[in-house]
Amino acid sequence: MIPTTATDNGPGDSIRPDVLAIDLRTAVMRTSRRLRVEATGDVITPGQYTVLAQLRNGPQTLRELAEREHVQAPSMTRIVNALTDQGFAIRTAHPEDGRQIQVGITPAGEDVLAEAREQRTPWLAQRVAGLSEEDRLILSRAAHIMQQLSAK
């Protein structure tokens, strides 16, 4: 029998990276989808949310944002256009290169980002609170590992 989940490996078997990858992808996608559902009434899309979260680190060029979000420049332009049209982001001249523009977050963008977080975090925190201390420690470690994986 070919394992279909990482836990299908027999006792003493090592966890197959390809099977674990499927389990992780499925879990992340389901959790992400559920978080979006829990944040009803959002005025920003998930893509806009992640861009605003990036902009909290300071103004960035469209190219920098596109690279960080792993999207093509035209897609990032559409996201930024929507954010600026809504007053959540602002374009300014790049301080070192007049040919480029930077995108920054506005106070309204900070507010909408905080509102979206306030809707998503309590749902997840409630689920995590129902776990054992051991499972919370495992999830904490997994969260750090996943952040490292996604940063590469």
Side-chain angles (χ1 to χ4, degrees), residues 110-130:
E110 292 276 4
D111 291 345
V112 78
L113 185 61
E115 180 182 320
R117 284 185 172 152
E118 288 170 10
Q119 292 173 337
R120 292 177 173 143
T121 302
W123 176 85
L124 191 54
Q126 180 182 13
R127 297 317 178 275
V128 169

Side-chain angles (χ1 to χ4, degrees), residues 62-63 65-67 69-79:
L62 286 171
R63 167 177 259 151
L65 287 168
E67 287 174 359
E69 294 302 311
H70 304 288
V71 300
Q72 298 295 317
S75 296
M76 185 54 64
T77 299
R78 282 191 295 277
I79 292 170

Side-chain angles (χ1 to χ4, degrees), residues 36 39 41-53 69 75 78-80 82-83 86 88 112-113 116 120:
R36 282 194 298 268
D42 275 352
V43 293
I44 57 175
T45 67
Q48 292 170 345
Y49 174 89
T50 60
V51 169
L52 285 178
E69 294 302 311
S75 296
R78 282 191 295 277
I79 292 170
V80 169
L83 290 171
Q86 296 174 84
F88 301 142
V112 78
L113 185 61
R120 292 177 173 143

